[in-house]
Amino acid sequence: MKTITGREENYSQWYLDVIAEADLAEHSVVRGCMVIKPYGYAIWEKIVSIVDSMLKEMGVKNAYFPMFIPQSFLEREKKHVKGFSPELAVVTHGGGNKLSEPLVVRPTSETIIYDSFSKWINSYRDLPLIINQWANVVRWEMRPRLFLRTTEFLWQEGHTAHASLQEADQYSLKILNEVYKKFVEEYLSMPVYTGQKSEGEKFAGALRTYCIEALMQDGRSLQAGTSHNLSDNFSKSFNVAFLDEDGLRKNVFQTSWGVSTRLIGGLIMIHSDDKGLVLPPKIAPIQVVIIPIRPNQAILDAIKLIKSDLNGLSVEVDLRDNLNPGEKYYEWEKKGVPLRIEIGPKDLENNKVVMVRRDTGIKSDCAIGNIGQIAQEMMESIQKNLFLRAEEKRNLSNKNASSWSEFEHGIKTGGYVFAHWCGEEDCEADIKKKVKAVSRFLPFEAEEEVGPHTCINCGKEVKEVKRWAFARAY
Ligand SMILES: [Zn+2]
């Protein structure tokens, strides 16, 4: 039987083993592409259903736009095309003929969607316009990794148009805080920092990029979602304008925002252990597995009753007769099912079952009559424990750096290093060359320290009173 490589031994191999053994996904014959298997896709479906209902509650409407974009559209926004051109897949032929204009397979859909917006928006009464689409996108990936970096991935991308820059900024922050941070923390038990990206790391074509970032178990940061204030950069290029109340024609101010299948990569890396996948109950496709030991009719009848007491939870009863209970425990552990219930003839005699939590491995007896209530309590407890465990781990590895040697040491040992920094692109590139790390974000919630400060790398005077967060990243 294949085992899972230990995290300490080889973290990258551990990650791949966890995915393979939980049967989540596999590499496709096309390099960089991923086949998402039913169990992995079930996790994505839960993400989609929860995020979609959160967005709809905020009044967001779904639509769908074509995956092919005329190449000339991308070229209209200079920074946008510069940022994305190394990653583009381009279609040159269709129906056996060379196309008069090449078509780009969408790497993101600002350009094709804003072409529609320019037709849909006429007056201030049409604003704000708030649209989302669930789609696949393609960014040619040189160093692919399942879920984290794949050439084709699934996501939602939201696109909005507003009458003022201030309203657009507020909206992009609202999505970040009230949808992304809330969803990731409450459902994925993934503690995140919120903040703003540097000039060098922001979205190509944006005025400002806001992000949520989580720390993985190996001390690297993962960008888990972004929300961009696009200002009027795209509306100028795509002529998205409205007639305002004062009778003047003005360009709209826009936002775009997205989360992707990358969230599953983060979910795997932040909670799982050397036994395999660990899933928070709120996102687990199967929340409870019941395993009978030497089942007879009485045990099967008891299981029926237990199952009805677990009403509201997603329960799997493993009745396979070709595996022994130990093999079944091992398999469901690898699949990250939060709670296992074991019941054998002796247990039934004593009117109880054995419960085993996946997050801690702790075993406890539970009277059959209490299973419904205890299982619900355990779901909440596991959900909370996973969050607190990840948060504690992250906080323990946080460091402040006041000198280059502290900074360098901090980056090498993993976790976030907070330091005063000039924010300049050249300086960031220099830092990247030296320690293979870039800035992750300027935290929204950080202590303001009275300056003047000096840049951790170049020594220039820094006006910013907050420290930037740096880390190696996925
Ligand atoms: Zn600097």
Side-chain angles (χ1 to χ4, degrees):
M1 205 179 285
K2 193 177 180 293
T3 52
I4 292 168
T5 308
R7 282 165 289 181
E8 293 294 326
E9 191 188 332
N10 184 338
Y11 191 84
S12 309
Q13 190 55 47
W14 165 79
Y15 175 71
L16 293 174
D17 289 349
V18 170
I19 290 172
E21 293 298 295
D23 210 22
L24 298 173
E26 61 193 24
H27 292 103
S28 149
V29 289
V30 180
R31 190 174 176 276
C33 290
M34 166 174 67
V35 176
I36 308 177
K37 298 182 80 174
Y39 193 57
Y41 201 74
I43 297 174
W44 179 241
E45 284 180 313
K46 290 205 92 168
I47 293 176
V48 171
S49 119
I50 299 160
V51 172
D52 197 59
S53 63
M54 288 173 87
L55 290 173
K56 281 179 180 150
E57 249 169 60
M58 285 182 58
V60 178
K61 291 198 170 70
N62 286 339
Y64 187 79
F65 296 83
M67 73 183 304
F68 298 124
I69 304 177
Q71 198 168 38
S72 59
F73 275 27
L74 266 93
E75 283 158 6
R76 281 197 219 166
E77 216 295 331
K78 291 286 170 289
K79 283 179 185 152
H80 189 61
V81 70
K82 191 170 167 237
F84 278 101
S85 53
E87 306 178 343
L88 297 179
V90 184
V91 179
T92 55
H93 288 73
N97 298 314
K98 190 166 188 287
L99 301 175
S100 58
E101 181 183 350
L103 299 172
V104 168
V105 182
R106 62 180 164 216
T108 178
S109 305
E110 277 75 6
T111 57
I112 191 89
I113 292 181
Y114 303 160
D115 179 56
S116 289
F117 275 21
S118 72
K119 295 171 207 153
W120 297 355
I121 295 169
N122 292 302
S123 132
Y124 67 93
R125 291 177 206 278
D126 300 324
L127 299 175
L129 179 60
I130 297 169
I131 294 291
N132 175 62
Q133 82 166 344
W134 290 95
N136 59 341
V137 284
V138 168
R139 296 177 187 175
W140 216 258
E141 197 52 68
M142 295 305 166
R143 288 167 29 243
R145 287 191 106 173
L146 290 174
F147 291 112
L148 297 170
R149 289 184 174 280
T150 48
T151 290
E152 180 193 16
F153 59 88
L154 306 180
W155 77 346
Q156 60 70 217
E157 51 179 317
H159 294 273
T160 70
H162 306 264
S164 75
L165 178 63
Q166 194 198 16
E167 192 187 307
D169 201 56
Q170 281 168 355
Y171 198 83
S172 59
L173 287 168
K174 193 174 158 81
I175 291 291
L176 190 83
N177 290 309
E178 294 174 28
V179 182
Y180 293 168
K181 179 180 162 71
K182 191 171 168 18
F183 167 72
V184 165
E185 293 197 330
E186 282 183 19
Y187 291 86
L188 306 185
S189 291
M190 197 189 284
V192 290
Y193 283 126
T194 50
Q196 187 178 336
K197 288 278 174 190
S198 69
E199 286 300 301
E201 291 293 307
K202 72 181 184 185
F203 178 74
L207 171 68
R208 285 196 276 276
T209 289
Y210 303 119
C211 62
I212 52 170
E213 297 248 346
L215 194 73
M216 302 294 110
Q217 291 184 62
D218 64 343
R220 283 175 190 254
S221 181
L222 180 92
Q223 178 178 297
T226 49
S227 185
H228 316 293
N229 174 346
L230 303 173
S231 185
D232 55 359
N233 294 346
F234 285 88
S235 67
K236 279 185 200 151
S237 322
F238 286 85
N239 197 24
V240 190
F242 67 105
L243 203 60
D244 206 353
E245 280 176 279
D246 57 14
L248 295 174
R249 204 170 154 75
K250 299 170 185 171
N251 283 111
V252 299
F253 294 88
Q254 298 190 270
T255 78
S256 67
W257 23 275
V259 291
S260 72
T261 32
R262 180 163 232 242
L263 283 177
I264 300 178
L267 183 67
I268 296 163
M269 282 202 297
I270 201 165
H271 300 307
S272 302
D273 59 22
D274 290 351
K275 289 178 179 171
L277 187 64
V278 175
L279 289 176
K282 284 188 185 174
I283 211 70
I286 300 167
Q287 294 165 308
V288 183
V289 60
I290 303 177
I291 299 175
I293 301 160
R294 293 193 300 281
N296 53 35
Q297 195 53 47
I299 287 180
L300 295 179
D301 291 345
I303 286 175
K304 249 189 207 155
L305 254 144
I306 292 168
K307 216 184 153 187
S308 70
D309 281 348
L310 292 172
N311 154 32
L313 295 176
S314 144
V315 181
E316 174 94 11
V317 182
D318 190 346
L319 294 174
R320 288 175 296 175
D321 57 7
N322 59 330
L323 296 177
N324 65 43
E327 289 167 325
K328 291 181 183 176
Y329 301 164
Y330 183 65
E331 187 178 317
W332 294 109
E333 257 172 12
K334 291 193 299 186
K335 291 178 101 67
V337 175
L339 181 63
R340 180 171 87 222
I341 295 178
E342 308 166 4
I343 177 165
K346 274 239 170 76
D347 298 310
L348 195 55
E349 243 169 63
N350 295 312
N351 199 32
K352 57 108 176 160
V353 297
V354 175
M355 285 185 164
V356 188
R357 286 172 65 136
R358 176 64 183 91
D359 60 335
T360 57
I362 291 172
K363 279 189 180 193
S364 55
D365 285 346
C366 176
I368 285 181
N370 295 340
I371 290 177
Q373 191 201 333
I374 299 291
Q376 283 293 354
E377 286 170 12
M378 277 203 186
M379 292 296 121
E380 281 163 37
S381 163
I382 295 168
Q383 189 79 31
K384 200 169 160 193
N385 178 48
L386 290 175
F387 181 89
L388 293 175
R389 197 161 82 176
E391 189 182 46
E392 190 187 9
K393 209 164 194 167
R394 178 194 71 186
N395 293 352
L396 281 172
S397 67
N398 282 348
K399 306 168 203 68
N400 277 354
S402 309
S403 66
W404 177 257
S405 67
E406 274 178 24
F407 182 82
E408 196 174 15
H409 181 258
I411 293 292
K412 281 182 180 161
T413 49
Y416 293 112
V417 180
F418 297 88
H420 293 291
W421 173 51
C422 67
E424 285 170 23
E425 283 186 57
D426 290 349
C427 183
E428 185 157 40
D430 188 47
I431 294 173
K432 189 176 184 180
K433 217 164 70 189
K434 288 175 178 166
V435 292
K436 297 194 187 89
V438 290
S439 71
R440 301 313 307 162
F441 50 90
L442 182 65
F444 288 152
E445 284 178 43
E447 198 189 330
E448 296 188 356
E449 300 169 52
V450 182
H453 305 288
T454 53
C455 172
I456 194 74
N457 181 45
C458 69
K460 254 184 219 154
E461 193 176 304
V462 174
K463 288 199 186 79
E464 175 56 57
V465 291
K466 288 182 190 170
R467 289 169 188 260
W468 283 82
F470 285 81
R472 287 183 178 159
Y474 280 98

